[in-house]
Amino acid sequence: MRTQMGIIGAGPAGLLLSRLLALQGIDSVVLENRSREYVEARIRAGILEQNTVDVLTGAGMGDRLHREGLEHRGVYLQYPGVRHQLDFPALCGRRVWVYGQTEVVKDLVAAQLAGGPPLLFDVSDVAVEDVDTDSPRVRFTDADGAARVLECDVVAGTDGFHGPSRAVVAEGTGQQLWERTYPYAWLGILADAAPATDELIYAWHPDGFALHSMRSPSVSRLYLQVDPSERIEDWSDDRIWEGLATRFALDGWELSTGTVTEKSILPMRSFVSAPMRRGRLFLAGDAAHIVPPTGAKGLNLAVADVVLLSRAVVRLLQDKETDLADAYSDTALRRVWRATHFSWWMTSMLHTTGDPFDAQLQLSQLRRVCSSEAAARELAENYTGLPL
């Protein structure tokens, strides 16, 4: 097989990259080691920055997003006895949308299979070769068990932390790694319950953090801070609802409950690797960085990566200029570290440690954000997405 851009991984980063390149006349082939059903069912992030919505809309992926997505003007910050609304348009002129990553992927897959560039599911034994030359290749076994070779001009590794691409970059560049594992996790549920709030609620409570989000007018997405050692089997639905009700408690307000349709425990960590490039192999999304979900940055960072990368690839292959490709890693990492800091800051402000001193510092920070326009604007600017 021959293509201009080989893309490993059919998550939102790889699929959107293929779409953006196709709109600029660049051919690609997307390889995915999972089935279509698995890819479209993965429950992930649900908050889209203004920039992400604009990029998806510009790529022709905005119809269902604007029809079914929930536009949000802010969030609530809560601590015992206080629930304060941050008005994002008033603070920074931007908004966010609630539209699950699962839905973004479904839209991108449907567009790809409806006459878009080739998208191959259920591949295995993926190996990237000759990335230090102008003719890299990707070897793989297709869904029928046949050995295949994909000859490329450029390769994108959008295959996540455990994919083969990151290891290839690390082998040839002396890649640096920065990582932090947080001493808490999120127990997340999907529930057939109408959201009890018009905006997301980020709640600090002595028992631990809680987040009230939503996926639709009839489906809520809720999270509880738990210890990473907890087992999901030990959390009955009643125990989960009781914990949520306690942490969201506020006079005059009541939590909506319903049937829990999905629950899982998500460990939390930060991870950044540099550089995000080796020769003609470029990393994007979780292959290069992971952030805790508190700041809603993971999917949005992946979109920012592929916007930069698509511009660099078009300039490299059509204009034969290397400037954007050479600058890609440094440019992307500046945004990655900003988002990593914001995610760390939100996480540190809202998750309890059991230390009374930490608790007072967190409450002081929350009061500051809720009472200072400057502090609130800083949160709003970062949450809704800095300019690409």
Side-chain angles (χ1 to χ4, degrees):
M1 300 176 67
R2 180 75 176 83
T3 190
Q4 291 175 286
M5 184 82 177
I7 300 174
I8 305 172
L15 293 167
L16 180 58
L17 177 60
S18 179
R19 177 77 178 181
L20 294 175
L21 291 174
L23 294 174
Q24 296 295 316
I26 301 292
D27 298 330
S28 66
V29 173
V30 182
L31 307 176
E32 170 56 48
N33 69 343
R34 302 283 193 167
S35 67
R36 177 181 180 181
E37 293 73 22
Y38 181 92
V39 167
E40 291 186 338
R42 284 184 288 207
I43 302 297
R44 293 291 189 271
I47 304 297
L48 304 185
E49 295 175 357
Q50 179 83 59
N51 295 318
T52 297
V53 171
D54 292 344
V55 169
L56 290 170
T57 302
M61 295 289 99
D63 288 351
R64 195 162 73 94
L65 189 165
H66 287 284
R67 186 172 64 251
E68 300 179 13
L70 305 176
E71 183 178 346
H72 283 260
R73 297 176 56 88
V75 297
Y76 292 106
L77 292 180
Q78 178 172 324
Y79 50 94
V82 175
R83 181 177 295 171
H84 177 80
Q85 184 176 22
L86 300 182
D87 186 332
F88 289 162
L91 289 165
C92 65
R94 297 192 293 275
R95 297 170 172 81
V96 296
W97 273 255
V98 172
Y99 190 67
Q101 179 173 316
T102 303
E103 306 309 315
V104 174
V105 169
K106 288 178 183 177
D107 294 344
L108 288 166
V109 168
Q112 195 91 356
L113 296 179
L119 168 55
L120 308 182
F121 291 104
D122 292 308
V123 307
S124 57
D125 304 318
V126 176
V128 190
E129 302 175 350
D130 295 332
V131 299
D132 296 317
T133 74
D134 291 343
S135 302
R137 64 176 59 89
V138 183
R139 296 187 183 275
F140 66 98
T141 301
D142 67 20
D144 297 322
R148 308 285 293 273
V149 179
L150 180 62
E151 304 284 350
C152 315
D153 296 316
V154 185
V155 178
T158 59
D159 46 350
F161 180 81
H162 297 290
S165 301
R166 187 174 65 85
V168 174
V169 173
E171 288 168 5
T173 62
Q175 190 178 58
Q176 289 183 281
L177 307 177
W178 297 268
E179 188 169 12
R180 170 162 295 178
T181 300
Y182 294 89
Y184 22 74
W186 279 9
L187 190 160
I189 66 168
L190 275 176
D192 290 335
T197 175
D198 56 337
E199 306 286 12
L200 278 70
I201 304 171
Y202 285 79
W204 184 98
H205 188 273
D207 290 354
F209 168 73
L211 172 62
H212 191 323
S213 184
M214 61 284 291
R215 286 294 181 269
S216 75
S218 61
V219 176
S220 294
R221 181 71 162 154
L222 304 109
Y223 299 91
L224 282 169
Q225 176 189 341
V226 298
D227 189 274
S229 64
E230 290 281 354
R231 301 186 315 143
I232 197 67
E233 297 81 8
D234 295 332
W235 285 82
S236 67
D237 293 356
D238 287 344
R239 183 185 179 190
I240 292 170
W241 286 120
E242 182 180 352
L244 289 166
T246 297
R247 299 184 196 188
F248 288 125
L250 190 72
D251 289 344
W253 182 87
E254 185 175 349
L255 177 66
S256 300
T257 63
T259 302
V260 175
T261 58
E262 190 270 341
K263 58 183 175 181
S264 59
I265 291 180
L266 172 68
M268 299 178 66
R269 66 186 179 119
S270 295
F271 165 82
V272 180
S273 63
M276 292 171 58
R277 174 199 182 186
R278 174 185 170 186
R280 289 290 182 103
L281 170 61
F282 297 82
L283 303 180
D286 286 357
H289 44 75
I290 294 171
V291 293
T294 324
K297 292 294 137 219
L299 170 59
N300 295 293
L301 266 183
V303 170
D305 285 349
V306 300
V307 168
L308 288 175
L309 183 53
S310 64
R311 294 170 181 167
V313 170
V314 169
R315 187 155 174 81
L316 179 66
L317 299 185
Q318 292 185 345
D319 302 332
K320 309 303 180 184
E321 297 289 344
T322 65
D323 54 340
L324 295 184
D326 292 340
Y328 167 72
S329 182
D330 288 343
T331 304
L333 282 167
R334 283 194 291 272
R335 188 185 193 89
V336 167
W337 277 114
R338 175 86 295 276
T340 299
H341 180 273
F342 177 69
S343 300
W344 164 84
W345 178 76
M346 287 281 287
T347 301
S348 301
M349 178 173 65
L350 290 162
H351 291 75
T352 56
T353 66
D355 185 321
F357 187 82
D358 287 347
Q360 293 305 315
L361 292 177
Q362 291 169 327
L363 289 169
S364 175
Q365 182 64 67
L366 283 163
R367 294 187 192 104
R368 168 68 178 170
V369 174
C370 294
S371 61
S372 164
E373 183 176 337
R377 181 176 295 111
E378 177 68 9
L379 189 155
E381 289 179 350
N382 282 274
Y383 194 96
T384 59
L386 300 173
L388 292 173

